[in-house]
Amino acid sequence: MNMDKTHVAITALGGFVPETVFTNDDIAKMVDTSDEWITTRVGIKERRILGDEGKGSSYLGIRAVKNLFETHPEVKPEDIDLVLASTNTPDYPFPSTASLIADGVGIPKGVPCFDFEAGCTGFIFGLQIVRGFVESGLYKKVLLVAAEDMSAIVDPEDRATLPLFGDGAACAILEPSTEGVGVQDIIIGNDNEEAAIHLVLKAGGSANPASHETVDRREHFVYQEGQYVFKNAVTYMGDVTEQILSQNGLTQEDIAWVVPHQANLRIIKATAQRINLSMDKVLINIEHFGNTSSASIPLCLWQNEARLKKGDVLILTAFGAGYTYGSAYLKWAY
């Protein structure tokens, strides 16, 4: 191993979920479904919902970053030199949610901030972006936030999507390391032919601006063709996980933990089965948080931070809107 090579490493985590618990029984009072139906098909029992008027993804991100500062007091706002936010539910088209989070946690004026969107694969895409910035030497301490107020874009009358999503945020500090730990490899990609067909927010962008008609057609909520998305998620998450293991010569015995995107428990189990991995090595929080989109992987890491040991091999894997997919191979840094 070349100990002089610079890798980008996660050195601290923070997270936050709202206090309000939205159960399957609550949903059954709103649409034609049941706790048994939801649990059997997606593995979700409850999710957390923000629901506060005037608060959005930046609020969730601010709370997550403040949690990081509280639990990792060695990290100071003035030391951060770049802020990135992965979000599919920005507070506004502009300004960036990253800039609102930076202001809300006391990061000094002058630090660059920007948002990016890669569906539920956002955290892995973010690691790849930060990898370029840090390993090139451009930045030394980067704050990567994934913040999702998914309840703001879910149709309360749609029994197919209402049970799936929850709200939450998580964040990571990323720094250079020459100890052989950190990000070892990342694969990301897109199936662009399918990008705006089966999983899309139809209105509110420049191609289909908000109007009385788009509101009446309920086009400002998530549209998803569940079976088609399920099939592709199983395929892409399985394929990209196999690929990252193969090109790095890893076996099931090498892996400490797989951290998958929390979209559906059946997808997670299918991915583990694809690589012949015991579910004992898979981190899961979908039962209590639902699908928190790009926040789901870092939320899992944050919840299990105390269980992660320096040098542990982690495999992250995800699939999301835009038909993004990705997998990351990390050696835990602390």
Side-chain angles (χ1 to χ4, degrees):
M1 179 184 298
N2 182 4
M3 299 297 285
D4 294 327
K5 177 176 170 54
T6 298
H7 295 277
V8 62
I10 294 172
T11 58
L13 293 167
F16 174 76
V17 291
E19 292 182 4
T20 301
V21 177
F22 191 38
T23 68
N24 291 346
D25 289 334
D26 293 330
I27 290 176
K29 297 173 184 176
M30 300 172 62
V31 295
D32 182 19
T33 190
S34 68
D35 173 61
E36 181 183 7
W37 192 93
I38 298 169
T39 304
T40 301
R41 283 159 180 78
V42 293
I44 301 170
K45 297 289 289 184
E46 61 188 27
R47 65 289 295 145
R48 301 296 184 93
I49 301 298
L50 179 57
D52 292 356
E53 187 173 350
K55 293 180 179 177
S57 292
S58 70
Y59 171 80
L60 298 169
I62 288 167
R63 292 294 300 269
V65 177
K66 286 184 175 180
N67 170 262
L68 185 150
F69 290 154
E70 291 166 4
T71 56
H72 294 273
E74 72 279 5
V75 180
K76 307 296 183 185
E78 58 269 22
D79 295 332
I80 294 167
D81 54 8
L82 178 65
V83 181
L84 280 67
S86 167
T87 183
N88 303 283
T89 55
D91 286 24
Y92 312 103
F94 55 87
S96 71
T97 300
S99 65
L100 299 175
I101 293 170
D103 179 63
V105 301
I107 291 173
K109 178 181 177 180
V111 172
C113 308
F114 68 89
D115 294 354
F116 65 95
E117 183 270 307
C120 297
T121 319
F123 187 73
I124 297 176
F125 270 64
L127 289 178
Q128 186 77 313
I129 295 168
V130 177
R131 187 183 182 197
F133 281 131
V134 171
E135 292 184 6
S136 67
L138 284 172
Y139 296 98
K140 298 295 186 184
K141 190 182 290 285
V142 179
L143 174 63
L144 173 61
V145 186
E148 302 287 8
D149 183 12
M150 294 300 295
S151 64
I153 59 169
V154 176
D155 189 342
E157 298 180 8
D158 182 8
R159 71 188 293 267
T161 56
L162 181 61
L164 302 181
F165 298 99
D167 302 337
C171 58
I173 294 293
L174 292 141
E175 302 181 77
S177 172
T178 56
E179 297 182 7
V181 295
V183 174
Q184 306 296 306
D185 195 14
I186 294 178
I187 300 169
I188 53 174
N190 279 63
D191 181 349
N192 298 315
E193 292 181 1
E194 306 286 354
I197 301 173
H198 308 285
L199 179 54
V200 60
L201 194 68
K202 295 182 178 181
S206 59
N208 191 19
S211 67
H212 196 293
E213 290 75 19
T214 63
V215 173
D216 287 346
R217 293 194 295 264
R218 310 185 75 79
E219 291 180 344
H220 295 266
F221 297 121
V222 173
Y223 171 79
Q224 175 174 281
E225 296 174 15
Q227 289 191 345
Y228 199 91
V229 173
F230 176 90
K231 176 183 175 182
N232 279 274
V234 170
T235 299
Y236 279 107
M237 284 178 65
D239 285 352
V240 75
T241 305
E242 281 193 325
Q243 186 179 351
I244 199 95
L245 296 179
S246 176
Q247 73 182 30
N248 289 282
L250 296 171
T251 68
Q252 292 78 7
E253 289 71 30
D254 297 317
I255 299 170
W257 302 102
V258 167
V259 190
H261 167 51
Q262 309 287 306
N264 183 313
L265 186 58
R266 289 188 295 157
I267 295 173
I268 294 170
K269 288 181 176 178
T271 302
Q273 185 176 13
R274 177 78 171 269
I275 61 171
N276 298 313
L277 189 75
S278 166
M279 288 297 292
D280 292 341
K281 288 189 171 186
V282 181
L283 297 182
I284 300 172
N285 67 11
I286 189 171
E287 180 180 2
H288 298 294
F289 292 164
N291 180 349
T292 53
S293 191
S294 71
S296 74
I297 287 176
L299 272 172
C300 261
L301 292 172
W302 168 64
Q303 281 189 296
N304 292 279
E305 187 175 16
R307 302 170 71 184
L308 306 178
K309 299 179 179 63
K310 187 172 183 177
D312 277 356
V313 169
L314 274 61
I315 303 295
L316 319 182
T317 185
F319 171 85
Y323 278 19
T324 61
Y325 55 88
S327 188
Y329 159 35
L330 286 69
K331 290 184 179 178
W332 199 246
Y334 64 100

Coordinates of all heavy atoms in Angstrom, one line a residue, residues 161-228:
T161 N -47.0 6.5 -3.5 CA -45.7 7.2 -3.1 C -45.8 7.8 -1.7 O -44.7 7.9 -1.1 CB -45.5 8.4 -4.1 OG1 -46.6 9.3 -4.1 CG2 -45.2 7.9 -5.5
L162 N -47.0 8.0 -1.2 CA -47.1 8.6 0.2 C -46.4 7.8 1.3 O -45.7 8.3 2.1 CB -48.5 8.8 0.6 CG -48.8 9.5 1.9 CD1 -48.2 10.8 2.1 CD2 -50.3 9.5 2.2
P163 N -46.4 6.4 1.2 CA -45.8 5.7 2.3 C -44.3 5.6 2.2 O -43.6 5.1 3.1 CB -46.4 4.2 2.1 CG -47.6 4.4 1.2 CD -47.3 5.6 0.3
L164 N -43.7 6.0 1.1 CA -42.3 5.7 0.8 C -41.3 6.6 1.5 O -40.2 6.2 1.9 CB -42.0 5.7 -0.7 CG -42.9 4.7 -1.6 CD1 -42.4 4.9 -3.0 CD2 -42.7 3.3 -1.1
F165 N -41.6 7.9 1.5 CA -40.6 8.9 1.8 C -40.7 9.5 3.2 O -41.7 9.7 3.8 CB -40.7 10.0 0.7 CG -40.4 9.5 -0.7 CD1 -41.5 9.3 -1.5 CD2 -39.1 9.3 -1.1 CE1 -41.3 8.8 -2.8 CE2 -38.9 8.9 -2.4 CZ -40.0 8.6 -3.2
G166 N -39.5 9.9 3.7 CA -39.4 10.6 5.0 C -38.4 11.7 4.8 O -37.7 11.9 3.8
D167 N -38.3 12.6 5.9 CA -37.4 13.7 5.9 C -36.2 13.5 6.8 O -36.3 12.9 7.8 CB -38.2 15.0 6.3 CG -39.5 15.3 5.5 OD1 -39.5 14.8 4.3 OD2 -40.4 15.9 6.0
G168 N -35.1 14.1 6.4 CA -33.9 14.0 7.3 C -32.7 14.6 6.6 O -32.8 15.0 5.4
A169 N -31.6 14.7 7.3 CA -30.4 15.3 6.8 C -29.2 14.7 7.5 O -29.3 14.3 8.7 CB -30.4 16.8 6.9
A170 N -28.1 14.6 6.8 CA -26.9 14.1 7.5 C -25.7 14.8 6.7 O -25.9 15.3 5.6 CB -26.7 12.6 7.4
C171 N -24.6 14.8 7.4 CA -23.4 15.6 6.8 C -22.1 14.9 7.2 O -22.1 14.1 8.2 CB -23.4 17.0 7.3 SG -23.4 17.2 9.1
A172 N -21.1 15.2 6.5 CA -19.8 14.7 6.7 C -18.7 15.7 6.5 O -18.9 16.6 5.6 CB -19.5 13.5 5.8
I173 N -17.7 15.7 7.3 CA -16.5 16.4 7.0 C -15.5 15.5 6.2 O -15.3 14.4 6.6 CB -15.8 16.9 8.3 CG1 -16.7 17.9 9.1 CG2 -14.4 17.5 8.0 CD1 -16.8 19.3 8.3
L174 N -15.0 16.1 5.2 CA -14.0 15.3 4.3 C -12.7 16.0 4.2 O -12.6 17.2 4.0 CB -14.6 15.1 2.9 CG -15.9 14.2 3.0 CD1 -17.0 14.7 2.0 CD2 -15.5 12.8 2.6
E175 N -11.6 15.3 4.5 CA -10.3 15.8 4.6 C -9.3 14.9 3.9 O -9.6 13.7 3.7 CB -9.9 16.0 6.0 CG -10.8 16.9 6.8 CD -10.3 17.1 8.2 OE1 -9.3 17.9 8.4 OE2 -10.9 16.5 9.1
P176 N -8.1 15.4 3.5 CA -7.1 14.5 3.0 C -6.5 13.6 4.0 O -6.3 14.0 5.2 CB -6.1 15.5 2.4 CG -6.3 16.8 3.2 CD -7.7 16.8 3.5
S177 N -6.1 12.4 3.6 CA -5.4 11.5 4.5 C -4.3 10.8 3.7 O -4.6 10.4 2.5 CB -6.4 10.5 5.1 OG -5.7 9.5 5.8
T178 N -3.2 10.5 4.3 CA -2.1 9.7 3.7 C -1.9 8.5 4.5 O -0.8 7.9 4.4 CB -0.8 10.5 3.6 OG1 -0.5 11.0 4.9 CG2 -1.0 11.7 2.6
E179 N -2.9 8.0 5.3 CA -2.8 6.8 6.1 C -3.3 5.6 5.5 O -3.4 4.5 6.1 CB -3.5 7.1 7.5 CG -2.9 8.2 8.3 CD -3.7 8.3 9.6 OE1 -4.5 7.5 9.9 OE2 -3.4 9.3 10.4
G180 N -3.7 5.7 4.2 CA -4.3 4.5 3.5 C -5.8 4.3 3.7 O -6.3 3.4 3.2
V181 N -6.4 5.2 4.5 CA -7.8 5.1 4.8 C -8.5 6.1 3.9 O -7.9 6.9 3.1 CB -8.1 5.4 6.2 CG1 -7.6 4.3 7.1 CG2 -7.6 6.8 6.7
G182 N -9.9 6.1 3.9 CA -10.7 7.0 3.2 C -11.2 6.4 1.9 O -11.3 5.1 1.8
V183 N -11.6 7.2 0.9 CA -12.2 6.7 -0.3 C -11.1 6.0 -1.2 O -10.2 6.6 -1.5 CB -12.9 7.8 -1.1 CG1 -13.4 7.3 -2.5 CG2 -14.1 8.4 -0.3
Q184 N -11.3 4.7 -1.5 CA -10.4 4.0 -2.3 C -10.8 4.0 -3.8 O -10.0 4.0 -4.7 CB -10.3 2.6 -1.8 CG -9.9 2.5 -0.3 CD -8.6 3.0 0.0 OE1 -7.6 2.6 -0.6 NE2 -8.5 3.9 1.0
D185 N -12.1 3.9 -4.0 CA -12.6 3.9 -5.4 C -14.1 4.2 -5.4 O -14.8 4.0 -4.4 CB -12.5 2.4 -5.9 CG -12.6 2.4 -7.4 OD1 -12.6 3.4 -8.1 OD2 -12.7 1.2 -8.0
I186 N -14.6 4.8 -6.5 CA -16.0 5.2 -6.7 C -16.3 4.9 -8.1 O -15.6 5.3 -9.0 CB -16.2 6.7 -6.3 CG1 -16.1 6.9 -4.8 CG2 -17.7 7.1 -6.7 CD1 -16.3 8.4 -4.4
I187 N -17.5 4.4 -8.3 CA -18.1 4.2 -9.6 C -19.4 5.0 -9.6 O -20.3 4.7 -8.7 CB -18.3 2.8 -10.0 CG1 -17.0 2.0 -10.0 CG2 -19.0 2.7 -11.4 CD1 -17.2 0.5 -10.1
I188 N -19.6 5.9 -10.5 CA -20.9 6.5 -10.7 C -21.3 6.5 -12.2 O -20.5 6.5 -13.0 CB -21.0 8.0 -10.2 CG1 -19.8 8.8 -10.8 CG2 -20.9 8.0 -8.6 CD1 -19.9 10.3 -10.4
G189 N -22.6 6.6 -12.4 CA -23.1 6.6 -13.8 C -24.6 6.9 -13.9 O -25.3 7.1 -12.9
N190 N -25.1 7.0 -15.1 CA -26.4 7.4 -15.4 C -27.0 6.5 -16.6 O -26.2 6.2 -17.5 CB -26.6 8.8 -15.9 CG -26.6 9.8 -14.8 OD1 -25.6 9.9 -14.0 ND2 -27.7 10.5 -14.6
D191 N -28.2 6.2 -16.5 CA -29.0 5.6 -17.7 C -29.8 6.8 -18.2 O -31.0 6.9 -17.8 CB -29.8 4.4 -17.3 CG -30.6 3.8 -18.5 OD1 -30.6 4.5 -19.5 OD2 -31.1 2.8 -18.3
N192 N -29.3 7.6 -19.0 CA -29.9 8.9 -19.4 C -31.1 8.7 -20.3 O -32.0 9.6 -20.3 CB -28.9 9.8 -20.2 CG -27.7 10.1 -19.3 OD1 -27.9 10.5 -18.1 ND2 -26.5 10.0 -19.8
E193 N -31.3 7.6 -21.0 CA -32.4 7.3 -21.8 C -33.7 7.3 -21.0 O -34.8 7.6 -21.5 CB -32.3 6.0 -22.6 CG -31.2 6.1 -23.7 CD -31.1 4.8 -24.5 OE1 -31.9 3.9 -24.2 OE2 -30.3 4.7 -25.4
E194 N -33.6 6.9 -19.7 CA -34.8 6.7 -18.9 C -35.0 7.9 -17.9 O -35.8 7.8 -17.1 CB -34.6 5.4 -18.1 CG -34.3 4.2 -18.9 CD -35.5 3.7 -19.6 OE1 -36.6 4.2 -19.4 OE2 -35.4 2.7 -20.4
A195 N -34.2 8.9 -18.1 CA -34.1 9.9 -17.0 C -35.4 10.6 -16.7 O -35.6 10.9 -15.5 CB -33.1 11.0 -17.4
A196 N -36.3 10.9 -17.6 CA -37.5 11.7 -17.3 C -38.8 11.0 -17.7 O -39.7 11.6 -18.0 CB -37.4 13.0 -18.0
I197 N -38.8 9.7 -17.5 CA -39.9 8.9 -17.9 C -40.7 8.3 -16.7 O -41.8 8.6 -16.5 CB -39.5 7.8 -18.9 CG1 -38.9 8.4 -20.2 CG2 -40.8 7.0 -19.3 CD1 -38.3 7.3 -21.1
H198 N -40.0 7.5 -16.0 CA -40.6 6.7 -14.9 C -40.5 7.2 -13.5 O -41.2 6.8 -12.6 CB -40.1 5.3 -15.0 CG -40.1 4.6 -16.3 ND1 -41.2 4.2 -16.9 CD2 -39.1 4.4 -17.2 CE1 -41.0 3.7 -18.1 NE2 -39.7 3.8 -18.3
L199 N -39.6 8.2 -13.3 CA -39.4 8.8 -12.0 C -39.1 10.3 -12.2 O -38.0 10.6 -12.6 CB -38.3 8.1 -11.3 CG -37.9 8.5 -9.9 CD1 -39.2 8.6 -8.9 CD2 -36.9 7.6 -9.3
V200 N -40.1 11.2 -12.0 CA -39.9 12.5 -12.4 C -40.8 13.5 -11.6 O -41.9 13.1 -11.1 CB -40.1 12.7 -13.9 CG1 -41.6 12.3 -14.2 CG2 -39.8 14.1 -14.4
L201 N -40.4 14.7 -11.4 CA -41.2 15.8 -10.9 C -41.6 16.6 -12.1 O -40.7 17.3 -12.6 CB -40.5 16.6 -9.8 CG -41.3 17.5 -8.9 CD1 -42.3 16.7 -8.0 CD2 -40.5 18.4 -8.1
K202 N -42.8 16.5 -12.6 CA -43.1 16.9 -13.9 C -43.2 18.5 -14.1 O -42.9 19.0 -15.2 CB -44.5 16.4 -14.3 CG -44.5 14.9 -14.5 CD -45.8 14.3 -14.9 CE -45.8 12.8 -15.1 NZ -47.1 12.3 -15.6
A203 N -43.5 19.2 -13.0 CA -43.7 20.6 -13.2 C -42.9 21.4 -12.1 O -42.4 20.9 -11.1 CB -45.2 21.0 -13.0
G204 N -42.7 22.7 -12.4 CA -42.0 23.6 -11.5 C -40.6 24.0 -12.0 O -40.0 25.0 -11.5
G205 N -40.2 23.4 -13.1 CA -38.9 23.7 -13.7 C -39.1 24.6 -14.9 O -40.2 25.0 -15.2
S206 N -38.0 24.9 -15.6 CA -38.1 25.8 -16.8 C -38.9 25.2 -18.0 O -39.5 26.0 -18.8 CB -36.7 26.3 -17.2 OG -35.9 25.2 -17.6
A207 N -38.9 23.9 -18.1 CA -39.6 23.3 -19.2 C -41.1 23.2 -19.0 O -41.8 23.2 -20.0 CB -39.1 21.9 -19.4
N208 N -41.5 23.3 -17.8 CA -42.9 23.2 -17.5 C -43.2 24.0 -16.2 O -43.4 23.5 -15.1 CB -43.4 21.7 -17.3 CG -44.9 21.6 -17.2 OD1 -45.6 22.4 -17.6 ND2 -45.3 20.5 -16.6
P209 N -43.2 25.4 -16.3 CA -43.3 26.2 -15.2 C -44.6 26.1 -14.4 O -45.6 25.6 -15.0 CB -43.1 27.6 -15.8 CG -42.5 27.5 -17.1 CD -42.9 26.1 -17.6
A210 N -44.6 26.5 -13.2 CA -45.8 26.4 -12.4 C -46.9 27.2 -13.0 O -46.7 28.3 -13.5 CB -45.5 26.9 -11.0
S211 N -48.1 26.6 -13.0 CA -49.3 27.3 -13.6 C -50.5 26.7 -12.8 O -50.4 25.7 -12.1 CB -49.5 27.1 -15.1 OG -49.7 25.8 -15.4
H212 N -51.7 27.4 -13.0 CA -52.9 26.9 -12.5 C -53.1 25.4 -12.9 O -53.5 24.5 -12.2 CB -54.1 27.7 -12.9 CG -55.3 27.5 -12.1 ND1 -56.1 26.4 -12.1 CD2 -55.9 28.4 -11.2 CE1 -57.1 26.5 -11.2 NE2 -57.0 27.7 -10.7
E213 N -52.8 25.2 -14.2 CA -53.0 23.8 -14.8 C -52.1 22.8 -14.2 O -52.5 21.7 -13.9 CB -52.9 23.9 -16.3 CG -54.0 24.7 -17.1 CD -53.8 26.2 -16.9 OE1 -52.7 26.7 -16.5 OE2 -54.8 26.9 -17.1
T214 N -50.8 23.1 -14.0 CA -49.9 22.1 -13.4 C -50.3 21.8 -12.0 O -50.1 20.6 -11.6 CB -48.5 22.6 -13.5 OG1 -48.3 23.8 -12.7 CG2 -48.0 22.9 -14.9
V215 N -50.8 22.8 -11.3 CA -51.3 22.5 -9.9 C -52.5 21.6 -9.9 O -52.6 20.6 -9.2 CB -51.6 23.8 -9.1 CG1 -52.2 23.5 -7.8 CG2 -50.3 24.6 -9.0
D216 N -53.4 21.9 -10.8 CA -54.7 21.1 -10.9 C -54.3 19.7 -11.3 O -55.0 18.7 -10.8 CB -55.6 21.7 -11.9 CG -56.3 23.0 -11.4 OD1 -56.2 23.2 -10.2 OD2 -56.9 23.7 -12.3
R217 N -53.3 19.5 -12.1 CA -52.9 18.1 -12.5 C -52.0 17.4 -11.5 O -51.5 16.3 -11.8 CB -52.2 18.2 -13.9 CG -53.2 18.6 -15.1 CD -52.5 18.3 -16.4 NE -51.3 19.1 -16.6 CZ -51.3 20.2 -17.3 NH1 -52.4 20.7 -17.8 NH2 -50.1 20.9 -17.5
R218 N -51.7 18.1 -10.4 CA -50.9 17.6 -9.3 C -49.5 17.2 -9.8 O -48.9 16.2 -9.4 CB -51.6 16.4 -8.6 CG -53.0 16.7 -8.2 CD -53.7 15.5 -7.4 NE -53.2 15.5 -6.1 CZ -53.6 16.3 -5.1 NH1 -54.5 17.2 -5.3 NH2 -53.1 16.1 -3.9
E219 N -48.9 18.0 -10.7 CA -47.7 17.7 -11.3 C -46.5 18.3 -10.5 O -45.3 18.1 -10.9 CB -47.6 18.3 -12.7 CG -48.5 17.5 -13.7 CD -48.5 18.1 -15.1 OE1 -48.0 19.2 -15.3 OE2 -49.0 17.3 -16.0
H220 N -46.7 18.8 -9.3 CA -45.6 19.3 -8.5 C -45.3 18.3 -7.4 O -44.6 18.6 -6.4 CB -46.0 20.6 -7.9 CG -46.1 21.7 -8.9 ND1 -45.1 22.6 -9.2 CD2 -47.2 22.1 -9.7 CE1 -45.5 23.4 -10.2 NE2 -46.8 23.1 -10.4
F221 N -45.8 17.1 -7.6 CA -45.5 15.9 -6.7 C -44.7 14.9 -7.4 O -44.7 14.8 -8.6 CB -46.8 15.3 -6.1 CG -47.6 16.2 -5.3 CD1 -48.9 16.5 -5.6 CD2 -47.1 16.8 -4.1 CE1 -49.7 17.4 -4.8 CE2 -47.9 17.7 -3.3 CZ -49.2 17.9 -3.7
V222 N -44.0 14.0 -6.7 CA -43.2 12.9 -7.2 C -44.1 12.0 -8.1 O -45.2 11.6 -7.6 CB -42.6 12.1 -6.1 CG1 -41.9 10.8 -6.8 CG2 -41.5 12.9 -5.4
Y223 N -43.7 11.8 -9.3 CA -44.4 10.8 -10.2 C -43.5 9.6 -10.3 O -42.3 9.7 -10.7 CB -44.7 11.3 -11.5 CG -45.2 10.3 -12.5 CD1 -46.5 9.8 -12.5 CD2 -44.3 9.7 -13.4 CE1 -47.0 8.8 -13.3 CE2 -44.8 8.7 -14.3 CZ -46.1 8.3 -14.3 OH -46.5 7.3 -15.1
Q224 N -43.9 8.4 -9.9 CA -43.1 7.2 -10.0 C -43.9 6.0 -10.4 O -45.0 5.7 -9.9 CB -42.5 6.9 -8.6 CG -41.7 5.6 -8.5 CD -41.0 5.4 -7.2 OE1 -39.9 6.0 -7.0 NE2 -41.5 4.6 -6.3
E225 N -43.3 5.3 -11.4 CA -43.9 4.0 -11.8 C -43.1 2.9 -11.1 O -42.0 2.5 -11.4 CB -43.8 3.8 -13.3 CG -44.6 4.8 -14.1 CD -44.3 4.8 -15.6 OE1 -43.8 3.7 -16.1 OE2 -44.7 5.7 -16.3
G226 N -43.8 2.5 -9.9 CA -43.0 1.7 -8.9 C -42.4 0.5 -9.4 O -41.2 0.2 -9.1
Q227 N -43.1 -0.4 -10.2 CA -42.5 -1.7 -10.6 C -41.4 -1.5 -11.5 O -40.4 -2.2 -11.4 CB -43.6 -2.5 -11.2 CG -44.7 -3.0 -10.3 CD -45.6 -4.1 -10.9 OE1 -45.6 -4.3 -12.1 NE2 -46.3 -4.8 -10.0
Y228 N -41.5 -0.5 -12.4 CA -40.4 -0.3 -13.3 C -39.1 0.2 -12.6 O -38.0 -0.2 -12.8 CB -40.8 0.7 -14.4 CG -39.9 0.7 -15.6 CD1 -40.2 -0.1 -16.7 CD2 -38.8 1.5 -15.7 CE1 -39.4 -0.1 -17.8 CE2 -38.0 1.5 -16.8 CZ -38.3 0.7 -17.9 OH -37.5 0.6 -19.0

